[in-house]
Amino acid sequence: MQSAGSAAEGASTNGALTGGSILGEPSDLVRLCLDELVYVKLRGERELVGRLHGYDQHLNMVVGDAEETVMSTEVDEETFEQIVRTRKRKLPLVFVRGDTLILISPLFRQSGASR
Amino acid sequence: MFFAALFQTLVGQVVTVELKNDLCIRGTLLSVDPYLNVRLADVVVTEPEAFPALLALRHSCTVRGSCVRYVHLPPDQVDVQLLQDATRQVASAVKAARVRPVGE
């Protein structure tokens, strides 16, 4: 309980530092991304760009109108050069399991970020 | 839990489950549990030539939730506005549950 109390104190001072905004925790940043275009980096050299429609505490998420980019590297047999191939595809509405997620970022700087 | 409820509303719809080994299974959603294990009926493996061992897969199967990478949902069956509102509600409820013990 003691540790929980001090952790919350830390959170509240953090809130004061950010001008009393709700931007105290990483999950708050994700909340601000709701209904915004987001860039999501996933395991397996995958990236998604799409509109975030929902997420939960595991960072499972639902992304709409997404474009997925899969990158694969191949080594040329003769020159030993690395060739990076990218494949793109459209995903109209997709549920993404959170355990494959590496990072999520808003695609554009939000005008109301200090809300 | 939250997404289990979403999948619950999609029971009976045709969804495509993409696994972490790139296997894609298309089928009618039969049921979901809180671990997001999904049961599919009338399953079709979309690239049978890549997974010949699964040619026998026909009627139904259960996919372990942790093996799932994507679930492709039918866009016309999901109310994204409702989903966003529910997400906001759940997010603030989760946060409140974490903060509340402090006040006591």
Side-chain angles (χ1 to χ4, degrees), chain B residues 37-92:
Chain B
N37 302 324
V38 290
R39 212 148 77 79
L40 299 171
D42 307 323
V43 293
V44 179
V45 176
T46 51
E47 295 166 85
E49 60 281 355
F51 299 92
L54 292 166
L55 278 174
L57 197 62
R58 279 282 181 281
H59 303 294
S60 77
C61 70
T62 304
V63 179
R64 184 179 160 93
S66 66
C67 300
V68 172
R69 177 187 293 136
Y70 297 136
V71 182
H72 302 278
L73 308 171
D76 50 338
Q77 298 294 330
V78 179
D79 183 345
V80 291
Q81 199 56 54
L82 200 67
L83 183 58
Q84 287 174 18
D85 293 344
T87 300
R88 287 195 186 90
Q89 257 176 34
V90 170
S92 52

Side-chain angles (χ1 to χ4, degrees), chain A residues 18-69:
Chain A
T18 52
S21 79
I22 53 167
L23 275 181
E25 303 172 12
S27 63
D28 294 327
L29 197 69
V30 183
R31 179 149 62 157
L32 285 181
C33 294
L34 262 183
D35 204 20
E36 302 284 344
L37 286 181
V38 290
Y39 163 85
V40 183
K41 190 172 167 66
L42 302 170
R43 294 180 70 137
E45 318 296 317
R46 282 162 198 269
E47 293 172 352
L48 280 180
V49 172
R51 200 166 289 279
L52 182 67
H53 289 309
Y55 70 90
D56 65 8
Q57 63 267 50
H58 307 290
L59 290 183
N60 296 323
M61 44 186 67
V62 170
V63 183
D65 297 322
E67 187 176 59
E68 186 204 38
T69 310

